[in-house]
């Protein structure tokens, strides 16, 4: 393991904030217990940071931006730091995957997949920062006009608990490549890997004060961070409601924001689709990470002639799905916390009460610890398109089926929610692939496939209530910088 922070986990000791390159406790000394969702047992603790800690971290990031070498360093050198971070993530991959799985309850293979994606983010942005450049613009005679891409300054990243390593990497990779400095507030349910990554960032040569992590509750540390006047830009991934609060806080200082706010993503299956190829993808897109994925494929729209056939095949697969402890590496792990389990159970109970047919339930492994926050997957169909199950983000292993008739109705149903993050179209008809992909309001559309997560190179973000701004790929570098125009009057 080779790090005092990581070895403290084994001893059940305390994790620290990382501010200005140093591990520090919250000024109040208050701490939050860290529990493993697989058994509900506390195994570590993190600082419960407040406004004073946020202020300290923002000031460190501010100093590092204003007077440190980072923002002035040639882009290629910043890139080399990120490349070294990629290599360190690879070197510590097993440790990071184990830490992430224990902290979030996700199966170990998902923890490893998250590490692989995390490596790709730092690798991609390590090589991307020196490939972005401005333009020269034809202007008046006697003038030369050009643009530069400049960092915003101090970027605040507020990170959710579902894919902490990956989401931190997509924020930090792009923000750091462009020369910003960072204050990260991970979710209090899953903060450990962020602390570890910030520590590895130091080892990779990223200067002190550039990559700060403070842990704590959203209502305290998160709210103080998004409202801090020393922050130049805020990027947030999480629920629409919290997104509104963060935008309002940032608006007081008129700061820019990127909002990645989840979805109710549809997969549209036409009767001519390769159904055998689609089935495992339809199941995985909602079961991956226990359905706690912003881009989960939570609605399946099925053309009527194949509705019964697909519903039956999905029910068969769903009835075999098993939730269990992360080390057992089953189909899914526990949900993140008791509140999330209650929330998911609430959606399922309301749907049952409303008479929506339950087509199948999976199970919880018989030997799963009783203290874990497990929830057996549920398949519903046909679901009323106006039902809560059809409209709201459940964020659990709950899949809804909807029959449709023809392309018009498919598009209308796909677009009939407030969200617009990801969608897929399954059909062998090439012209229809293009038509439907263009008409569905979603930031990403997959044809004969689905990408719930991953795809580091692919711009990602929402329409409508799913948010605004784009992350991933080259596009994220534009969100994480601002254009400066310089005009020379040389006569
Ligand atoms: P959340 O409230 O959106 O939390 C996401 C992040 O925001 C966490 O770091 C959280 O901190 C922080 N936060 C909370 N309140 C804040 C505030 N007033 N100001 C600044 N930051 C704040 O999500 P949640 O409560 O954990 O989960 C609730 C629902 O959100 C889920 O059921 C799911 O539908 C949705 N969700 C979506 C995504 C996604 O990727 N789209 C991710 C997570 C959750 P703390 O958690 O430490 O309080
Ligand atoms: Mg945890």
């Amino acid at each position: 393991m080779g790090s005092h922070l990581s070895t403290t986990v084994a001893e059940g000791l305390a994790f620290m904030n990382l501010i200005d390159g140093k591990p520090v406790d919250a000024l109040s000394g208050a701490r939050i217990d860290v529990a493993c969702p697989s058994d509900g047992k506390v195994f570590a603790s993190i600082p419960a940071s407040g406004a004073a800690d946020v202020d300290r971290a923002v000031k460190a990031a501010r100093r590092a931006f204003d007077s440190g070498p980072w923002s002035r360093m040639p882009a290629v050198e910043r890139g080399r730091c990120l490349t070294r971070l990629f290599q360190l993530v690879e070197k510590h991959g097993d440790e990071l995957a184990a830490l992430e799985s224990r902290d979030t309850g996700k199966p170990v293979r998902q923890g490893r997949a998250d590490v692989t994606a995390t490596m790709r983010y730092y690798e991609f942005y390590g090589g991307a920062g020196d490939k972005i450049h401005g333009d020269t613009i034809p202007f008046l005679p006697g003038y030369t006009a050009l643009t530069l891409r400049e960092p915003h300054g101090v970027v605040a990243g507020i990170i959710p608990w579902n894919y902490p390593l990956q989401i931190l990497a997509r924020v930090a990779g792009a923000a750091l490549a462009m020369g910003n400095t960072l204050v990260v507030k991970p979710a209090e349910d899953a903060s450990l890997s962020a602390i570890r990554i910030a520590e590895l960032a130091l080892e990779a040569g990223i200067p002190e004060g550039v990559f700060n992590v403070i842990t704590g509750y959203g209502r305290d540390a998160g709210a103080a961070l998004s409202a801090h006047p020393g922050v130049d830009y805020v990027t947030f991934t999480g629920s629409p409601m919290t997104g509104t609060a963060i935008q309002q806080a940032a608006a007081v200082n008129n700061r820019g924001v990127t909002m990645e706010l989840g979805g109710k993503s549809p997969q549209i299956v036409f009767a001519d689709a390769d159904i055998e190829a689609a089935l495992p993808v339809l199941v995985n897109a909602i079961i991956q990470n226990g359905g706690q994925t912003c881009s989960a494929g939570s609605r399946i729209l099925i053309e009527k002639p194949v509705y019964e056939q697909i519903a039956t095949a999905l029910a068969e697969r769903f009835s075999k799905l098993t939730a269990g402890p992360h080390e057992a590496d089953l189909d899914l792990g526990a949900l993140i916390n008791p509140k999330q389990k209650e929330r998911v159970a609430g959606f399922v109970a309301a749907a049952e009460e409303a008479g929506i047919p339950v087509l199948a339930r999976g199970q919880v492994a018989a030997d799963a610890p009783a203290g874990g926050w497990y929830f057996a997957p549920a398949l519903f169909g046909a679901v009323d398109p106006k039902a809560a199950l059809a409209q709201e983000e459940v964020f659990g292993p709950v899949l809804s089926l909807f029959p449709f008739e023809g392309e018009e109705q498919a598009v209308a149903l796909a677009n009939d929610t407030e969200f617009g993050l990801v969608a897929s179209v399954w059909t062998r008809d090439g012209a229809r692939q293009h038509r439907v992909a263009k008409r569905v309001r979603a930031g990403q559309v997959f044809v004969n496939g689905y990408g719930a997560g991953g795809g580091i190179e692919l711009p990602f973000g929402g329409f409508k209530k799913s948010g605004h701004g784009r992350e991933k790929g080259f596009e994220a570098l534009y969100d994480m910088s601002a254009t400066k125009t310089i005009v020379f009057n040389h006569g």
Side-chain angles (χ1 to χ4, degrees), residues 330-348:
L330 304 178
D331 301 301
L332 64 159
L335 300 182
I336 190 71
N337 58 34
K339 196 174 126 213
Q340 189 65 14
K341 180 179 167 180
E342 216 173 281
R343 185 183 139 90
V344 175
F347 273 102
V348 167

Side-chain angles (χ1 to χ4, degrees), residues 46 100 103-104 159-162 164 186-194 336:
I46 52 172
E100 192 82 326
D103 203 5
T104 62
I159 311 289
W161 41 257
N162 54 346
E188 107 264 354
D189 280 315
S191 292
L192 305 186
S193 60
I336 190 71

Side-chain angles (χ1 to χ4, degrees), residues 32 157-163 167 170 185-191 215-226 236-243 245-246 249 260-263 292-295 336-337 339-340 343-344 347 392-396 421:
I32 300 170
I158 299 175
I159 311 289
W161 41 257
N162 54 346
Y163 293 90
I167 294 175
R170 88 181 180 209
K185 208 297 281 178
E188 107 264 354
D189 280 315
S191 292
T215 63
Y217 295 108
R219 60 177 180 269
D220 302 327
L225 181 60
S226 42
F236 170 70
T237 301
S239 62
M241 222 170 69
T242 302
I246 289 173
E260 202 277 85
L261 306 176
Q292 302 168 117
T293 304
C294 47
S295 53
I336 190 71
N337 58 34
K339 196 174 126 213
Q340 189 65 14
R343 185 183 139 90
V344 175
F347 273 102
E392 290 174 39
E393 190 176 39
V394 176
F395 233 57
L421 192 59

Side-chain angles (χ1 to χ4, degrees), residues 157-231:
I158 299 175
I159 311 289
W161 41 257
N162 54 346
Y163 293 90
L165 268 174
Q166 280 204 55
I167 294 175
L168 173 61
R170 88 181 180 209
V171 166
L176 296 178
M178 292 312 293
N180 299 284
T181 61
L182 263 179
V183 179
V184 171
K185 208 297 281 178
E188 107 264 354
D189 280 315
S191 292
L192 305 186
S193 60
I195 297 169
R196 189 72 184 103
I197 290 288
E199 194 190 38
L200 292 177
L202 279 176
E203 207 178 315
I206 295 175
E208 292 177 356
V210 171
F211 195 149
N212 306 280
V213 174
I214 45 160
T215 63
Y217 295 108
R219 60 177 180 269
D220 302 327
L225 181 60
S226 42
H228 199 294
V231 167

